[in-house]
Amino acid sequence: QGNVSKYYVDVQEPLDVTAAFEFARNTGVRIVIKNTGHDYQGRSSAPDSLTLSTRNVQGIAYSPTFQPDDCASISPQPAMTIGSGTVFGQAYEFAEAHDITFVGGTDRTVAPAGGWVQGGGHSLLSNTLGLGVDRVLQYRVVVPSTGEYLTANACQNTDLFYALRGGGGGTFGVVMEASFRVEQRMRMSAAKITFTPSADNWKKVIEIGIKNGVKWSEEGWSGVIGAGLVTFVNPRLSLDEATESFKPYADFAASVNGTYATEDSPSWLSFYDKFLGTNPVGLPGAPASRLIPKSHFTTEEKQSALQAAILEGTTTAHFKQVLISCPSSYVPPNN
């Protein structure tokens, strides 16, 4: 049996969660909340527990004039409301059909309203459009203390709204749905290189990334650096501007007989389908998260020290991936 729960509640509505919380209070059984099960630390499973599975809490709706409940201070704005079990693949297809852009993650099978947004919500569009927690406007959540089904936004249950924006998936209750600000459909420039994985090539791509990091961040780039590829996306630069900006990586690819391509993508989904696709599973990995101040990029000495630190922690790893998705050039809207 291992860490797999023996008993599950297939959550369909808030009353299912309320009843499960009441049962746990009466029996002392441990509660585990499982959405799509992508928790790297295994918190979506535990031995001798009762699992609340929210995977079947489905639904997507779009409002061009969404306003959080009882919150007149927030201007109406375009938003998607998503059931907690609805995954990015569904959200991206829905957004494409409605000519809007939903800012989300790189894996189709992760759920936006689950641990993704409750843990911060990084996206390859975060540099220019913010994190998931910057874009969520409202939650509906069942809290364990009373079993109540509450609405949390900037005007009511504000402490809960604050906690749910980065406090960790399932920490403060069971989210049933979340509403996210969306953008109009936007074109974006994509750039990609591939090369033969080797220690020397890995060292070079890290060096180039560090030398150009601040400039690229200010220009609007986000992306992924891997052992044999680099994929970047930019919703700000034209294709000609992006091609010129990405030249350091293009020149590197040419020097090692790699490949290089830039493309004007008409939407986020078109970029996603062509340049990201399906992520592999079952690979060994030890994920880590670092916030690197801009001061580490200011001199050659600091850049060399940063490069050495990254290489020390990654060179011998079989699977390498550096996600560049901080909201460093994001400017919040005025509500």
Side-chain angles (χ1 to χ4, degrees), residues 210-226:
I210 292 173
K211 284 185 175 180
N212 294 276
V214 173
K215 171 181 177 291
W216 282 341
S217 173
E218 292 172 348
E219 290 176 344
W221 289 104
S222 291
V224 180
I225 299 176

Side-chain angles (χ1 to χ4, degrees), residues 246-284:
F246 201 69
K247 192 173 185 297
Y249 271 142
D251 291 344
F252 162 73
S255 72
V256 296
N257 296 317
T259 67
Y260 162 66
T262 56
E263 182 174 300
D264 194 45
S265 296
S267 69
W268 164 252
L269 183 60
S270 61
F271 161 77
Y272 185 99
D273 284 342
K274 183 165 184 177
F275 288 88
L276 297 179
T278 302
N279 292 321
V281 297
L283 297 174

Side-chain angles (χ1 to χ4, degrees), residues 11-317:
V11 175
Q12 304 283 332
E13 60 181 3
L15 287 176
D16 296 334
V17 181
T18 301
F21 281 154
E22 179 68 20
F23 177 80
R25 280 194 294 271
N26 292 335
T27 63
V29 67
R30 179 180 180 179
I31 288 284
V32 170
I33 303 168
K34 181 177 182 179
N35 193 339
T36 58
H38 287 78
D39 192 308
Y40 288 131
Q41 297 180 359
R43 291 168 296 189
S44 54
S45 61
D48 302 319
S49 63
L50 173 65
T51 291
L52 307 187
S53 173
T54 59
R55 182 66 180 88
N56 289 323
V57 182
Q58 293 288 313
I60 312 179
Y62 168 63
S63 171
T65 56
F66 178 86
Q67 190 171 38
D69 290 0
D70 301 320
C71 205
S73 62
I74 303 297
S75 301
Q77 55 198 294
M80 281 171 53
T81 297
I82 299 178
S84 63
T86 302
V87 296
F88 281 124
Q90 296 168 281
Y92 293 155
E93 296 285 352
F94 181 92
E96 185 84 356
H98 289 77
D99 289 326
I100 53 179
T101 301
F102 184 85
V103 176
T106 58
D107 194 313
R108 282 181 175 272
T109 59
V110 170
W116 179 78
V117 66
Q118 293 172 60
H122 285 262
S123 168
L124 290 190
L125 296 176
S126 287
N127 184 22
T128 54
L129 298 177
L131 299 169
V133 293
D134 295 313
R135 307 188 64 83
V136 66
L137 300 171
Q138 180 168 280
Y139 291 102
R140 298 198 192 277
V141 54
V142 183
V143 294
S145 56
T146 62
E148 291 178 282
Y149 184 44
L150 302 178
T151 297
N153 56 40
C155 300
Q156 57 179 308
N157 296 306
T158 55
D159 55 346
L160 183 59
F161 185 56
Y162 177 86
L164 289 170
R165 290 180 294 156
T171 305
F172 298 97
V174 178
V175 170
M176 299 298 291
E177 69 174 43
S179 299
F180 297 87
R181 177 166 50 89
V182 297
E183 306 293 331
Q184 294 304 305
R185 181 170 175 167
M186 59 179 63
R187 49 79 46 200
M188 49 196 68
S189 296
K192 182 176 182 177
I193 64 169
T194 63
F195 50 91
T196 302
S198 71
D200 287 342
N201 286 345
W202 178 245
K203 179 179 179 180
K204 190 64 178 178
V205 297
I206 295 298
E207 177 186 345
I208 294 171
I210 292 173
K211 284 185 175 180
N212 294 276
V214 173
K215 171 181 177 291
W216 282 341
S217 173
E218 292 172 348
E219 290 176 344
W221 289 104
S222 291
V224 180
I225 299 176
L229 61 83
V230 174
T231 303
F232 275 25
V233 63
N234 194 317
R236 287 182 180 169
L237 299 183
S238 68
L239 184 59
D240 288 342
E241 291 170 333
T243 301
E244 178 62 27
S245 174
F246 201 69
K247 192 173 185 297
Y249 271 142
D251 291 344
F252 162 73
S255 72
V256 296
N257 296 317
T259 67
Y260 162 66
T262 56
E263 182 174 300
D264 194 45
S265 296
S267 69
W268 164 252
L269 183 60
S270 61
F271 161 77
Y272 185 99
D273 284 342
K274 183 165 184 177
F275 288 88
L276 297 179
T278 302
N279 292 321
V281 297
L283 297 174
S289 179
R290 299 290 185 271
L291 294 176
I292 304 174
K294 285 186 178 180
S295 60
H296 285 26
F297 297 81
T298 54
T299 67
E300 290 187 5
E301 182 180 0
K302 290 182 177 181
Q303 290 177 5
S304 296
L306 177 57
Q307 180 181 353
I310 293 175
L311 293 177
E312 182 180 3
T314 60
T315 298
T316 59

